[in-house]
Amino acid sequence: ENEGVPTEKMSGAKISSTAAAKTTSGAATTAKTTTTTTTLTTAKKPLPQPNDPTASVSVSMLTYHEFTVKYAGVVEQFMALESMDKSKEFLLRNGDTLLQENASNYLLLASLEDEMNGFHDKMKLVARQSQIISNIAELAKSLKLHPGNVIHPFFQRMQNKELHEGFMAGVNEFIKKIEIRAVQKKKEMDEERAREVAEEGADAEGTVDMSEIPREERLGPGGLDPLEVFDTLPESMQAAFESREKEQLEAALRAMKPEELEYHMKRCIDSGLWNA
């Protein structure tokens, strides 16, 4: 059982599948309920499966991005439920969607995002909802049953004071880990921004504003002004020069007619924009 919280980058619950994929490897933190000798009464009637068993299979095949596009609204509704009874009813109606790894990851990322944005109370509720899903998944695994078949048993256990206290103790441990990770993540983001600013500053220091150089001093080997020549270039060549990407410039040149290419290349060489 993995007791960690996600350590990869994440900016929000609705991030791209790439960002999500990075977070799933350490993301499943579950709160164990305390074991007791309480015996559950076996239901005489079969416990309900998720609404459509075939739907459960199809939902599980979705990528994280596909899942969030299609089912984010369902998960958001579950996140906002304060009542355990309403959570149970909602799960019985939407278990095929919520009892999936993508839903667990969504809840995990949402709790981290809420804490980073200062919504502490909201994070605590989302964390509890996340642990409901995690505990149902663990219970299903231990009983070797479909998760939809242990929704009733899980909530039945929550009627037991000792088991409920054990569940909430696990939730509180999970909340502490989210709080710690949120501080770490914000620090990482601040450091990343600082690096970007420093890099941008270094680039700016190394850039020469050609317009500040007297025209006679900036003339190229063929006697042409690079600023004047640049203004006459096709937009594709201008964009390539500004990006300093060799591949982009080569693509722009390949798209030109031979005579047009020869004309502009000669002027670029004569102005010093291009070294022959």
Side-chain angles (χ1 to χ4, degrees), residues 140-160:
K141 184 178 179 181
S142 66
L143 298 177
K144 297 181 180 180
L145 294 173
H146 188 284
N149 263 353
V150 297
I151 295 173
H152 274 300
F154 170 77
F155 284 97
Q156 188 177 3
R157 290 186 177 198
M158 291 300 98
Q159 300 301 313
N160 179 286

Side-chain angles (χ1 to χ4, degrees), residues 38-244:
T38 302
T39 302
L40 297 177
T41 302
T42 303
K44 294 181 179 180
K45 295 181 179 180
L47 292 169
Q49 292 280 355
N51 296 339
D52 181 357
T54 59
S56 179
V57 175
S58 63
V59 173
S60 67
M61 297 298 291
L62 296 176
T63 65
Y64 182 77
H65 174 71
E66 292 169 339
F67 178 87
T68 57
V69 169
K70 192 170 184 179
Y71 296 111
V74 176
V75 186
E76 291 282 343
Q77 290 180 61
F78 180 71
M79 284 164 47
L81 296 176
E82 297 183 9
S83 165
M84 290 289 277
D85 288 338
K86 290 183 178 179
S87 296
K88 173 184 174 181
E89 294 171 3
F90 197 83
L91 276 169
L92 289 172
R93 294 195 305 270
N94 300 279
D96 55 302
T97 299
L98 292 168
L99 298 176
Q100 301 288 341
E101 183 178 359
N102 283 330
S104 295
N105 292 334
Y106 188 106
L107 290 164
L108 189 63
L109 294 173
S111 61
L112 180 60
E113 181 183 13
D114 286 338
E115 180 65 15
M116 291 177 65
N117 290 330
F119 304 127
H120 184 68
D121 289 339
K122 183 182 177 184
M123 179 275 287
K124 290 168 67 177
L125 177 59
V126 176
R128 190 202 68 179
Q129 298 301 87
S130 172
Q131 292 307 289
I132 289 176
I133 299 298
S134 297
N135 274 260
I136 289 175
E138 287 298 313
L139 182 59
K141 184 178 179 181
S142 66
L143 298 177
K144 297 181 180 180
L145 294 173
H146 188 284
N149 263 353
V150 297
I151 295 173
H152 274 300
F154 170 77
F155 284 97
Q156 188 177 3
R157 290 186 177 198
M158 291 300 98
Q159 300 301 313
N160 179 286
K161 181 180 179 182
E162 183 180 355
L163 288 173
H164 183 263
E165 289 176 351
F167 169 73
M168 290 308 301
V171 170
N172 291 331
E173 283 298 315
F174 180 74
I175 288 172
K176 289 178 183 178
K177 291 180 180 180
I178 289 295
E179 291 171 342
I180 293 171
R181 180 56 190 151
V183 173
Q184 294 172 338
K185 181 63 179 175
K186 290 176 72 173
K187 182 179 179 181
E188 291 169 4
M189 293 174 66
D190 289 341
E191 291 174 349
E192 180 64 23
R193 290 194 198 98
R195 282 194 295 270
E196 291 175 355
V197 170
E199 291 173 0
E200 291 174 0
D203 290 342
E205 290 177 2
T207 301
V208 178
D209 188 347
M210 294 292 290
S211 63
E212 296 180 357
I213 301 176
R215 184 178 186 280
E216 60 274 13
E217 294 182 16
R218 66 179 184 239
L219 295 178
L224 298 183
D225 184 346
L227 293 183
E228 295 174 359
V229 171
F230 182 84
D231 288 339
T232 66
L233 295 175
E235 290 185 3
S236 59
M237 286 189 70
Q238 290 184 13
F241 273 116
E242 289 176 341
S243 71
R244 300 181 183 180

Side-chain angles (χ1 to χ4, degrees), residues 13-50:
K14 299 171 185 170
I15 62 174
S16 64
S17 57
T18 303
K22 291 182 179 179
T23 62
T24 56
S25 62
T29 303
T30 58
K32 291 183 177 178
T33 55
T34 306
T35 58
T36 92
T37 57
T38 302
T39 302
L40 297 177
T41 302
T42 303
K44 294 181 179 180
K45 295 181 179 180
L47 292 169
Q49 292 280 355

